Amino acid sequence: MPIPSLGELLGGSPELVAYLRRHDLLRPLLRRNLIANTVRNVSLPEDLRGQLLQQYWQRNQLNTDEARRSHLQDRALGMADLRWQLELQQRIRAYAQQHFGGKAEAHFLKRKGQLDQVVYSLIRVKESYLAREIYLQILEGEANFSDLARRHAQGPERETNGVVATPLGQANPLLADRLRSAEPGQLLEPMAIADWWLVVRLDHRKEASLDEATAQRMAVEVFQEWIDEQLSDRLSRMQRPNTPELRT
């Protein structure tokens, strides 16, 4: 099934464009259409296509033809629509690897500081005096970090004995800066972030490496950045009077 151009998608209608803008649907719609047109000619192995479909049936416990037909009808989907949705991420990966794989290493080096993994112990409390007391007890060896986390932590880390594992890029920026410069085993001075006082110890840091899976992820990120650039250009042209954009 051919994928409509931007002009066909919007029908050259200023009213439709205005409606989509008002409901914050224009950019996501155009982005999806741009991705679809970019990867539409990517071919996937038939065994992979079959595997994706079978996994979907199994995941949703759709074991009969009747159940599958009812499922598609309820979602106003045809089989081709479902296959497209299931295969889209694989098409994106394949296209990104072919066209942007050569930029994966440079993108990895730019992102490496955010991709490094850290494991740290954390206790969040509201009171500065309590954070200081906890810090001194740990520093002087009077109490175990995990025991104090179970007793005093007021965040979700209480359920994991204070242990948190995350890429540095997903940590709070202020906390990430402190962890980035800390040595494993180092107990940090209590710090205030938002409405919390944090007691933190860096337990382990694992530097990210450019393995096959990471290289694939970097290629996809470069692809997504390219898509955003193309989309911004198209939206900018749509703002100008007498734009040919909707007619293409």
Side-chain angles (χ1 to χ4, degrees):
M1 177 180 178
I3 295 172
S5 67
L6 180 57
E8 293 168 335
L9 192 66
L10 299 179
S13 168
E15 294 80 8
L16 177 56
V17 172
Y19 177 86
L20 293 171
R21 273 208 185 95
R22 171 161 295 186
H23 296 281
D24 198 24
L25 296 171
L26 182 62
R27 186 180 183 91
L29 175 64
L30 297 186
R31 192 177 197 281
R32 290 190 177 203
N33 189 65
L34 178 57
I35 291 174
N37 275 295
T38 301
V39 305
R40 68 184 185 277
N41 293 325
V42 172
S43 297
L44 298 179
E46 284 303 316
D47 59 341
L48 175 59
R49 300 184 71 219
Q51 181 182 2
L52 291 170
L53 184 59
Q54 288 305 314
Q55 288 174 346
Y56 181 83
W57 297 142
Q58 293 170 9
R59 190 163 59 248
N60 290 279
Q61 299 181 346
L62 301 169
N63 301 317
T64 67
D65 290 342
E66 182 180 352
R68 294 168 184 176
R69 279 194 297 269
S70 176
H71 179 82
L72 293 176
Q73 288 174 358
D74 288 345
R75 287 155 182 77
L77 293 174
M79 181 60 74
D81 302 320
L82 177 62
R83 282 188 174 273
W84 173 264
Q85 292 177 12
L86 296 177
E87 296 170 7
L88 180 58
Q89 291 305 314
Q90 293 292 338
R91 290 174 183 267
I92 289 173
R93 291 189 189 102
Y95 185 94
Q97 185 61 41
Q98 180 179 355
H99 295 274
F100 298 99
K103 298 182 179 181
E105 183 175 3
H107 187 69
F108 169 77
L109 293 174
K110 182 174 71 174
R111 291 261 286 116
K112 184 179 179 303
Q114 298 174 304
L115 298 172
D116 289 346
Q117 298 274 336
V118 288
V119 177
Y120 59 95
S121 295
L122 168 70
I123 298 175
R124 253 180 296 208
V125 295
K126 291 289 188 178
E127 304 85 0
S128 61
Y129 75 88
L130 180 56
R132 189 70 187 175
E133 180 180 332
I134 291 170
Y135 167 78
L136 291 174
Q137 288 185 36
I138 297 170
L139 184 66
E140 296 171 7
E142 296 177 358
N144 180 278
F145 204 115
S146 60
D147 290 340
L148 291 174
R150 286 194 299 271
R151 193 182 316 157
H152 296 291
Q154 297 171 21
E157 71 277 2
R158 183 173 186 173
E159 304 302 319
T160 60
N161 296 333
V163 177
V164 179
T166 184
L168 267 174
Q170 294 181 16
N172 176 281
L174 295 176
L175 176 57
D177 285 344
R178 297 285 298 275
L179 291 170
R180 193 173 284 114
S181 59
E183 295 295 329
Q186 181 178 347
L187 181 67
L188 306 180
E189 288 272 353
M191 67 187 82
I193 295 181
D195 297 327
W196 297 99
W197 280 89
L198 275 58
V199 180
V200 179
R201 181 185 67 205
L202 176 62
D203 296 326
H204 179 69
R205 178 169 48 234
K206 180 182 178 183
E207 292 195 6
S209 60
L210 190 62
D211 55 19
E212 184 177 349
T214 303
Q216 175 70 82
R217 178 182 164 193
M218 295 299 100
V220 170
E221 287 189 5
V222 177
F223 166 79
Q224 298 290 1
E225 289 181 356
W226 177 81
I227 286 290
D228 287 335
E229 291 171 2
Q230 300 298 310
L231 178 58
S232 294
D233 179 64
R234 283 158 172 74
L235 288 170
S236 176
R237 279 187 275 164
M238 288 177 64
Q239 302 288 341
R240 298 199 290 267
N242 302 318
T243 175
E245 184 69 17
L246 292 178
R247 298 195 296 271
T248 60

